[in-house]
Amino acid sequence: MGIASVVYAQVQVTGRVVDITGEPIIGANVVLKGTGQGTITDFDGKFSLSDLPKKGTLVVSYIGYVDQTVKIEGGNFIKLFYQKIQRLWKR
């Protein structure tokens, strides 16, 4: 009986989530798409995720803002400029 193992290359991705004025988004969710693996941004809008596949997609979400997706390409630093959701109110 043999033992088979598969080893996937893993990377670390760090980044910063800010609004369009450059202010940090505190507590934004950053999740590897299709998994439960994720984190939230800190006081400076920074995040770090380890043991990610070399190729994948991160989904960044925060209440009142447009969700963002970004491709992981071999490990990198990501800076996302987040835009608020525009609401039209009729009276």
Side-chain angles (χ1 to χ4, degrees), residues 33-64:
K33 187 174 184 176
T35 74
Q37 183 179 1
T39 189
I40 60 171
T41 56
D42 67 11
F43 185 77
D44 296 318
K46 295 179 182 177
F47 68 91
S48 179
L49 283 168
S50 299
D51 299 327
L52 298 176
K54 274 191 169 182
K55 295 193 183 256
T57 303
L58 294 179
V59 179
V60 182
S61 60
Y62 189 73
I63 295 173

Side-chain angles (χ1 to χ4, degrees), residues 21-85:
T21 66
E23 291 297 314
I25 303 292
I26 302 165
N29 294 302
V30 183
V31 179
L32 179 62
K33 187 174 184 176
T35 74
Q37 183 179 1
T39 189
I40 60 171
T41 56
D42 67 11
F43 185 77
D44 296 318
K46 295 179 182 177
F47 68 91
S48 179
L49 283 168
S50 299
D51 299 327
L52 298 176
K54 274 191 169 182
K55 295 193 183 256
T57 303
L58 294 179
V59 179
V60 182
S61 60
Y62 189 73
I63 295 173
Y65 286 74
V66 178
D67 288 358
Q68 299 271 341
T69 59
V70 63
K71 299 247 184 233
I72 301 169
E73 296 182 5
N76 48 16
F77 180 82
I78 300 167
K79 187 170 184 179
L80 291 173
F81 292 94
Y82 228 15
Q83 294 184 4
K84 286 188 177 181
I85 295 173

